[in-house]
mmCIF file of all heavy atoms in Angstrom:
data_model
loop_
_atom_site.group_PDB
_atom_site.id
_atom_site.type_symbol
_atom_site.label_atom_id
_atom_site.label_comp_id
_atom_site.label_asym_id
_atom_site.label_seq_id
_atom_site.Cartn_x
_atom_site.Cartn_y
_atom_site.Cartn_z
ATOM 1 N N LEU P 1 -7.228 -56.164 2.758
ATOM 2 C CA LEU P 1 -6.025 -57.094 2.684
ATOM 3 C C LEU P 1 -4.935 -56.859 3.838
ATOM 4 O O LEU P 1 -3.992 -57.628 3.939
ATOM 5 C CB LEU P 1 -5.252 -56.854 1.271
ATOM 6 C CG LEU P 1 -6.130 -56.980 -0.008
ATOM 7 C CD1 LEU P 1 -5.239 -56.645 -1.165
ATOM 8 C CD2 LEU P 1 -6.437 -58.400 -0.127
ATOM 9 N N ASN P 2 -5.232 -55.726 4.547
ATOM 10 C CA ASN P 2 -4.241 -55.520 5.711
ATOM 11 C C ASN P 2 -4.968 -55.328 6.929
ATOM 12 O O ASN P 2 -5.581 -54.228 7.248
ATOM 13 C CB ASN P 2 -3.392 -54.220 5.354
ATOM 14 C CG ASN P 2 -2.293 -53.949 6.393
ATOM 15 O OD1 ASN P 2 -2.398 -54.421 7.462
ATOM 16 N ND2 ASN P 2 -1.367 -53.133 5.979
ATOM 17 N N MET P 3 -5.061 -56.517 7.618
ATOM 18 C CA MET P 3 -5.890 -56.304 8.924
ATOM 19 C C MET P 3 -5.337 -55.482 10.026
ATOM 20 O O MET P 3 -6.046 -54.845 10.876
ATOM 21 C CB MET P 3 -6.108 -57.785 9.465
ATOM 22 C CG MET P 3 -4.947 -58.426 10.009
ATOM 23 S SD MET P 3 -5.330 -60.022 10.875
ATOM 24 C CE MET P 3 -5.781 -61.087 9.439
ATOM 25 N N TYR P 4 -3.993 -55.285 9.944
ATOM 26 C CA TYR P 4 -3.365 -54.370 11.057
ATOM 27 C C TYR P 4 -3.894 -52.893 10.755
ATOM 28 O O TYR P 4 -4.235 -52.251 11.669
ATOM 29 C CB TYR P 4 -1.831 -54.471 10.845
ATOM 30 C CG TYR P 4 -1.231 -55.826 11.166
ATOM 31 C CD1 TYR P 4 -0.843 -56.628 10.038
ATOM 32 C CD2 TYR P 4 -1.013 -56.278 12.336
ATOM 33 C CE1 TYR P 4 -0.303 -57.860 10.151
ATOM 34 C CE2 TYR P 4 -0.478 -57.590 12.469
ATOM 35 C CZ TYR P 4 -0.140 -58.352 11.430
ATOM 36 O OH TYR P 4 0.379 -59.583 11.571
ATOM 37 N N LEU P 5 -3.907 -52.583 9.490
ATOM 38 C CA LEU P 5 -4.321 -51.219 9.091
ATOM 39 C C LEU P 5 -5.854 -51.056 9.355
ATOM 40 O O LEU P 5 -6.306 -49.961 9.779
ATOM 41 C CB LEU P 5 -4.118 -50.910 7.584
ATOM 42 C CG LEU P 5 -4.461 -49.514 7.200
ATOM 43 C CD1 LEU P 5 -3.663 -48.509 7.902
ATOM 44 C CD2 LEU P 5 -4.082 -49.439 5.651
ATOM 45 N N ALA P 6 -6.689 -52.130 9.051
ATOM 46 C CA ALA P 6 -8.129 -52.048 9.373
ATOM 47 C C ALA P 6 -8.350 -51.839 10.816
ATOM 48 O O ALA P 6 -9.228 -51.028 11.228
ATOM 49 C CB ALA P 6 -8.704 -53.376 8.975
ATOM 50 N N ALA P 7 -7.611 -52.460 11.751
ATOM 51 C CA ALA P 7 -7.782 -52.286 13.094
ATOM 52 C C ALA P 7 -7.354 -50.857 13.598
ATOM 53 O O ALA P 7 -8.122 -50.235 14.330
ATOM 54 C CB ALA P 7 -6.942 -53.314 13.951
ATOM 55 N N ALA P 8 -6.252 -50.476 12.997
ATOM 56 C CA ALA P 8 -5.851 -49.154 13.441
ATOM 57 C C ALA P 8 -6.807 -47.948 12.959
ATOM 58 O O ALA P 8 -7.126 -47.004 13.779
ATOM 59 C CB ALA P 8 -4.345 -48.810 12.770
ATOM 60 N N LEU P 9 -7.323 -48.169 11.793
ATOM 61 C CA LEU P 9 -8.252 -47.160 11.246
ATOM 62 C C LEU P 9 -9.510 -47.322 11.948
ATOM 63 O O LEU P 9 -10.251 -46.253 12.113
ATOM 64 C CB LEU P 9 -8.501 -47.359 9.715
ATOM 65 C CG LEU P 9 -7.332 -46.920 8.889
ATOM 66 C CD1 LEU P 9 -7.653 -47.276 7.325
ATOM 67 C CD2 LEU P 9 -6.814 -45.558 9.065
ATOM 68 N N ALA P 10 -9.978 -48.354 12.330
ATOM 69 C CA ALA P 10 -11.126 -48.457 13.219
ATOM 70 C C ALA P 10 -11.034 -47.647 14.559
ATOM 71 O O ALA P 10 -11.844 -46.917 15.013
ATOM 72 C CB ALA P 10 -11.378 -49.930 13.617
ATOM 73 N N GLN P 11 -9.790 -47.807 15.250
ATOM 74 C CA GLN P 11 -9.560 -46.871 16.330
ATOM 75 C C GLN P 11 -9.483 -45.399 16.057
ATOM 76 O O GLN P 11 -10.074 -44.618 16.819
ATOM 77 C CB GLN P 11 -8.104 -47.303 16.938
ATOM 78 C CG GLN P 11 -8.085 -48.590 17.573
ATOM 79 C CD GLN P 11 -6.827 -48.802 18.419
ATOM 80 O OE1 GLN P 11 -6.440 -47.951 19.254
ATOM 81 N NE2 GLN P 11 -6.088 -49.931 18.206
ATOM 82 N N ALA P 12 -8.982 -45.099 14.820
ATOM 83 C CA ALA P 12 -8.957 -43.700 14.538
ATOM 84 C C ALA P 12 -10.367 -43.150 14.335
ATOM 85 O O ALA P 12 -10.712 -42.042 14.728
ATOM 86 C CB ALA P 12 -8.212 -43.514 13.107
ATOM 87 N N ARG P 13 -11.347 -43.999 13.721
ATOM 88 C CA ARG P 13 -12.618 -43.468 13.604
ATOM 89 C C ARG P 13 -13.392 -43.308 14.979
ATOM 90 O O ARG P 13 -14.159 -42.472 15.275
ATOM 91 C CB ARG P 13 -13.453 -44.563 12.850
ATOM 92 C CG ARG P 13 -13.250 -44.372 11.313
ATOM 93 C CD ARG P 13 -14.216 -45.201 10.491
ATOM 94 N NE ARG P 13 -14.111 -46.587 10.714
ATOM 95 C CZ ARG P 13 -13.335 -47.414 10.035
ATOM 96 N NH1 ARG P 13 -12.452 -46.954 9.152
ATOM 97 N NH2 ARG P 13 -13.438 -48.775 10.411
ATOM 98 N N ALA P 14 -13.042 -44.370 15.905
ATOM 99 C CA ALA P 14 -13.848 -44.366 17.182
ATOM 100 C C ALA P 14 -13.357 -43.173 18.016
ATOM 101 O O ALA P 14 -14.059 -42.612 18.743
ATOM 102 C CB ALA P 14 -13.479 -45.651 17.979
ATOM 103 N N ALA P 15 -12.056 -42.795 17.785
ATOM 104 C CA ALA P 15 -11.554 -41.636 18.496
ATOM 105 C C ALA P 15 -11.847 -40.184 17.853
ATOM 106 O O ALA P 15 -11.356 -39.210 18.277
ATOM 107 C CB ALA P 15 -10.096 -41.701 18.741
ATOM 108 N N GLN P 16 -12.511 -40.372 16.721
ATOM 109 C CA GLN P 16 -12.713 -39.171 15.869
ATOM 110 C C GLN P 16 -11.469 -38.376 15.482
ATOM 111 O O GLN P 16 -11.398 -37.114 15.565
ATOM 112 C CB GLN P 16 -13.632 -38.319 16.495
ATOM 113 C CG GLN P 16 -15.082 -38.878 16.860
ATOM 114 C CD GLN P 16 -16.052 -37.878 17.395
ATOM 115 O OE1 GLN P 16 -15.832 -37.170 18.296
ATOM 116 N NE2 GLN P 16 -17.339 -38.021 16.890
ATOM 117 N N MET P 17 -10.392 -39.095 15.128
ATOM 118 C CA MET P 17 -9.093 -38.588 14.878
ATOM 119 C C MET P 17 -9.317 -37.837 13.530
ATOM 120 O O MET P 17 -9.903 -38.263 12.503
ATOM 121 C CB MET P 17 -8.186 -39.620 14.555
ATOM 122 C CG MET P 17 -6.664 -39.267 14.223
ATOM 123 S SD MET P 17 -5.614 -40.661 14.519
ATOM 124 C CE MET P 17 -4.351 -40.223 13.292
ATOM 125 N N PRO P 18 -8.808 -36.573 13.464
ATOM 126 C CA PRO P 18 -8.877 -35.732 12.269
ATOM 127 C C PRO P 18 -8.233 -36.409 11.101
ATOM 128 O O PRO P 18 -7.340 -37.090 11.090
ATOM 129 C CB PRO P 18 -8.068 -34.440 12.731
ATOM 130 C CG PRO P 18 -8.166 -34.487 14.121
ATOM 131 C CD PRO P 18 -8.089 -35.842 14.558
ATOM 132 N N LYS P 19 -8.871 -36.088 9.869
ATOM 133 C CA LYS P 19 -8.543 -36.662 8.686
ATOM 134 C C LYS P 19 -6.965 -36.413 8.390
ATOM 135 O O LYS P 19 -6.183 -37.108 7.770
ATOM 136 C CB LYS P 19 -9.320 -36.224 7.616
ATOM 137 C CG LYS P 19 -9.025 -36.817 6.135
ATOM 138 C CD LYS P 19 -9.923 -36.370 5.074
ATOM 139 C CE LYS P 19 -9.641 -36.945 3.743
ATOM 140 N NZ LYS P 19 -10.562 -36.340 2.638
ATOM 141 N N SER P 20 -6.605 -35.078 8.730
ATOM 142 C CA SER P 20 -5.269 -34.652 8.459
ATOM 143 C C SER P 20 -4.156 -35.469 9.242
ATOM 144 O O SER P 20 -3.175 -35.802 8.701
ATOM 145 C CB SER P 20 -5.117 -33.112 8.821
ATOM 146 O OG SER P 20 -5.378 -32.945 10.266
ATOM 147 N N ASN P 21 -4.543 -35.930 10.447
ATOM 148 C CA ASN P 21 -3.638 -36.739 11.267
ATOM 149 C C ASN P 21 -3.464 -38.062 10.546
ATOM 150 O O ASN P 21 -2.476 -38.727 10.546
ATOM 151 C CB ASN P 21 -4.185 -36.928 12.649
ATOM 152 C CG ASN P 21 -4.128 -35.602 13.522
ATOM 153 O OD1 ASN P 21 -4.596 -34.618 12.948
ATOM 154 N ND2 ASN P 21 -3.592 -35.776 14.715
ATOM 155 N N THR P 22 -4.656 -38.609 10.130
ATOM 156 C CA THR P 22 -4.546 -40.008 9.468
ATOM 157 C C THR P 22 -3.772 -39.847 8.132
ATOM 158 O O THR P 22 -2.989 -40.787 7.920
ATOM 159 C CB THR P 22 -6.001 -40.409 9.133
ATOM 160 O OG1 THR P 22 -6.802 -40.492 10.274
ATOM 161 C CG2 THR P 22 -6.008 -41.733 8.438
ATOM 162 N N GLU P 23 -3.969 -38.777 7.415
ATOM 163 C CA GLU P 23 -3.198 -38.727 6.164
ATOM 164 C C GLU P 23 -1.718 -38.676 6.456
ATOM 165 O O GLU P 23 -0.899 -39.257 5.764
ATOM 166 C CB GLU P 23 -3.759 -37.427 5.336
ATOM 167 C CG GLU P 23 -5.104 -37.748 4.797
ATOM 168 C CD GLU P 23 -5.667 -36.327 4.210
ATOM 169 O OE1 GLU P 23 -5.138 -35.325 4.502
ATOM 170 O OE2 GLU P 23 -6.719 -36.386 3.476
ATOM 171 N N THR P 24 -1.365 -37.776 7.554
ATOM 172 C CA THR P 24 0.074 -37.741 7.835
ATOM 173 C C THR P 24 0.674 -39.109 8.125
ATOM 174 O O THR P 24 1.752 -39.429 7.764
ATOM 175 C CB THR P 24 0.238 -36.812 8.916
ATOM 176 O OG1 THR P 24 -0.166 -35.403 8.597
ATOM 177 C CG2 THR P 24 1.704 -36.674 9.586
ATOM 178 N N ALA P 25 -0.076 -39.913 9.026
ATOM 179 C CA ALA P 25 0.322 -41.183 9.334
ATOM 180 C C ALA P 25 0.570 -42.109 8.045
ATOM 181 O O ALA P 25 1.522 -42.848 8.101
ATOM 182 C CB ALA P 25 -0.502 -41.828 10.278
ATOM 183 N N PHE P 26 -0.408 -42.030 7.155
ATOM 184 C CA PHE P 26 -0.261 -42.759 5.867
ATOM 185 C C PHE P 26 0.990 -42.417 5.120
ATOM 186 O O PHE P 26 1.825 -43.395 4.706
ATOM 187 C CB PHE P 26 -1.512 -42.510 5.003
ATOM 188 C CG PHE P 26 -2.563 -43.560 5.143
ATOM 189 C CD1 PHE P 26 -3.484 -43.601 6.185
ATOM 190 C CD2 PHE P 26 -2.713 -44.563 4.242
ATOM 191 C CE1 PHE P 26 -4.417 -44.532 6.272
ATOM 192 C CE2 PHE P 26 -3.658 -45.521 4.213
ATOM 193 C CZ PHE P 26 -4.580 -45.542 5.348
ATOM 194 N N LYS P 27 1.312 -41.128 5.037
ATOM 195 C CA LYS P 27 2.478 -40.702 4.335
ATOM 196 C C LYS P 27 3.795 -41.248 5.023
ATOM 197 O O LYS P 27 4.651 -41.689 4.397
ATOM 198 C CB LYS P 27 2.468 -39.209 4.287
ATOM 199 C CG LYS P 27 1.488 -38.543 3.337
ATOM 200 C CD LYS P 27 1.387 -37.046 3.369
ATOM 201 C CE LYS P 27 0.359 -36.488 2.544
ATOM 202 N NZ LYS P 27 0.282 -35.049 2.647
ATOM 203 N N LYS P 28 3.719 -41.223 6.323
ATOM 204 C CA LYS P 28 4.845 -41.671 7.133
ATOM 205 C C LYS P 28 5.087 -43.166 6.796
ATOM 206 O O LYS P 28 6.304 -43.628 6.651
ATOM 207 C CB LYS P 28 4.707 -41.330 8.530
ATOM 208 C CG LYS P 28 4.997 -39.911 9.007
ATOM 209 C CD LYS P 28 4.820 -39.755 10.467
ATOM 210 C CE LYS P 28 5.033 -38.224 10.805
ATOM 211 N NZ LYS P 28 4.779 -38.011 12.257
ATOM 212 N N GLY P 29 4.071 -43.875 6.908
ATOM 213 C CA GLY P 29 4.100 -45.299 6.693
ATOM 214 C C GLY P 29 4.590 -45.729 5.440
ATOM 215 O O GLY P 29 5.412 -46.517 5.191
ATOM 216 N N ILE P 30 3.999 -45.138 4.368
ATOM 217 C CA ILE P 30 4.326 -45.313 2.966
ATOM 218 C C ILE P 30 5.838 -44.905 2.695
ATOM 219 O O ILE P 30 6.605 -45.675 2.036
ATOM 220 C CB ILE P 30 3.480 -44.618 1.984
ATOM 221 C CG1 ILE P 30 2.041 -45.219 1.978
ATOM 222 C CG2 ILE P 30 3.918 -44.625 0.601
ATOM 223 C CD1 ILE P 30 1.002 -44.361 1.441
ATOM 224 N N ALA P 31 6.216 -43.876 3.276
ATOM 225 C CA ALA P 31 7.732 -43.334 3.056
ATOM 226 C C ALA P 31 8.572 -44.318 3.698
ATOM 227 O O ALA P 31 9.745 -44.622 3.217
ATOM 228 C CB ALA P 31 7.727 -41.967 3.778
ATOM 229 N N ALA P 32 8.194 -44.863 4.926
ATOM 230 C CA ALA P 32 9.060 -45.902 5.597
ATOM 231 C C ALA P 32 9.265 -47.139 4.825
ATOM 232 O O ALA P 32 10.339 -47.671 4.781
ATOM 233 C CB ALA P 32 8.456 -46.230 6.917
ATOM 234 N N VAL P 33 8.207 -47.453 4.088
ATOM 235 C CA VAL P 33 8.189 -48.797 3.337
ATOM 236 C C VAL P 33 9.108 -48.544 2.027
ATOM 237 O O VAL P 33 9.749 -49.389 1.707
ATOM 238 C CB VAL P 33 6.830 -49.324 2.975
ATOM 239 C CG1 VAL P 33 6.797 -50.360 1.964
ATOM 240 C CG2 VAL P 33 6.118 -49.771 4.140
ATOM 241 N N SER P 34 8.882 -47.371 1.489
ATOM 242 C CA SER P 34 9.603 -47.145 0.229
ATOM 243 C C SER P 34 11.076 -46.758 0.422
ATOM 244 O O SER P 34 11.868 -46.761 -0.578
ATOM 245 C CB SER P 34 8.835 -45.874 -0.511
ATOM 246 O OG SER P 34 9.073 -44.707 0.265
ATOM 247 N N GLY P 35 11.441 -46.547 1.672
ATOM 248 C CA GLY P 35 12.805 -46.186 1.996
ATOM 249 C C GLY P 35 13.093 -44.768 1.949
ATOM 250 O O GLY P 35 14.308 -44.399 1.987
ATOM 251 N N SER P 36 12.024 -43.861 1.573
ATOM 252 C CA SER P 36 12.362 -42.531 1.563
ATOM 253 C C SER P 36 12.406 -41.664 2.851
ATOM 254 O O SER P 36 12.619 -40.531 2.973
ATOM 255 C CB SER P 36 11.291 -41.802 0.589
ATOM 256 O OG SER P 36 9.968 -42.037 1.117
ATOM 257 N N ALA P 37 12.120 -42.450 3.871
ATOM 258 C CA ALA P 37 12.229 -41.957 5.202
ATOM 259 C C ALA P 37 13.052 -42.665 6.033
ATOM 260 O O ALA P 37 13.405 -43.921 5.818
ATOM 261 C CB ALA P 37 10.799 -42.098 5.918
ATOM 262 N N LYS P 38 13.826 -42.080 6.959
ATOM 263 C CA LYS P 38 14.855 -42.710 7.757
ATOM 264 C C LYS P 38 14.115 -43.729 8.610
ATOM 265 O O LYS P 38 13.104 -43.654 9.105
ATOM 266 C CB LYS P 38 15.492 -41.776 8.699
ATOM 267 C CG LYS P 38 16.384 -40.746 7.991
ATOM 268 C CD LYS P 38 17.026 -39.683 8.902
ATOM 269 C CE LYS P 38 17.967 -38.767 8.256
ATOM 270 N NZ LYS P 38 18.487 -37.749 9.169
ATOM 271 N N GLY P 39 14.845 -44.881 8.717
ATOM 272 C CA GLY P 39 14.152 -45.993 9.517
ATOM 273 C C GLY P 39 14.194 -45.675 10.956
ATOM 274 O O GLY P 39 15.142 -45.269 11.430
ATOM 275 N N GLY P 40 13.016 -46.012 11.634
ATOM 276 C CA GLY P 40 12.867 -45.683 13.000
ATOM 277 C C GLY P 40 13.403 -46.829 13.805
ATOM 278 O O GLY P 40 13.862 -47.856 13.223
ATOM 279 N N GLU P 41 13.326 -46.748 15.134
ATOM 280 C CA GLU P 41 13.667 -47.772 15.984
ATOM 281 C C GLU P 41 12.850 -48.926 15.911
ATOM 282 O O GLU P 41 11.505 -48.675 15.683
ATOM 283 C CB GLU P 41 13.890 -47.259 17.380
ATOM 284 C CG GLU P 41 14.997 -46.312 17.650
ATOM 285 C CD GLU P 41 15.077 -45.786 19.055
ATOM 286 O OE1 GLU P 41 15.835 -46.357 19.888
ATOM 287 O OE2 GLU P 41 14.426 -44.743 19.367
ATOM 288 N N GLU P 42 13.131 -50.105 16.075
ATOM 289 C CA GLU P 42 12.267 -51.282 16.057
ATOM 290 C C GLU P 42 11.281 -51.145 17.326
ATOM 291 O O GLU P 42 11.725 -50.961 18.365
ATOM 292 C CB GLU P 42 13.123 -52.589 16.084
ATOM 293 C CG GLU P 42 12.092 -53.793 15.901
ATOM 294 C CD GLU P 42 12.973 -55.027 15.782
ATOM 295 O OE1 GLU P 42 14.104 -54.888 15.573
ATOM 296 O OE2 GLU P 42 12.357 -56.218 15.887
ATOM 297 N N THR P 43 10.092 -51.489 17.023
ATOM 298 C CA THR P 43 9.090 -51.355 18.070
ATOM 299 C C THR P 43 8.704 -52.855 18.508
ATOM 300 O O THR P 43 8.424 -53.646 17.682
ATOM 301 C CB THR P 43 7.774 -50.662 17.560
ATOM 302 O OG1 THR P 43 8.167 -49.343 17.109
ATOM 303 C CG2 THR P 43 6.663 -50.537 18.718
ATOM 304 N N ASP P 44 8.627 -53.021 19.785
ATOM 305 C CA ASP P 44 8.233 -54.317 20.416
ATOM 306 C C ASP P 44 6.885 -54.047 20.997
ATOM 307 O O ASP P 44 6.465 -53.060 21.613
ATOM 308 C CB ASP P 44 9.170 -54.767 21.469
ATOM 309 C CG ASP P 44 10.516 -55.067 20.884
ATOM 310 O OD1 ASP P 44 10.696 -55.593 19.875
ATOM 311 O OD2 ASP P 44 11.639 -54.909 21.627
#
């Protein structure tokens, strides 16, 4: 349902990114959406 995430995870697999790094990124993303993390600067 989220093509942006599908593309990012495909890159993670291709780069053999450790599972721990992926899990950390997931937590940050979910925290940012839920408002439990401080909002970062807008990315262009």
Side-chain angles (χ1 to χ4, degrees):
L1 301 174
N2 186 340
M3 68 173 68
Y4 301 100
L5 183 58
L9 291 179
Q11 287 195 51
R13 284 192 297 272
Q16 298 182 323
M17 182 165 152
K19 184 179 179 181
S20 59
N21 293 49
T22 304
E23 291 174 344
T24 298
F26 261 79
K27 290 176 183 176
K28 288 181 178 179
I30 293 169
V33 172
S34 68
S36 59
K38 293 181 179 179
E41 296 179 90
E42 185 175 347
T43 301
D44 293 327

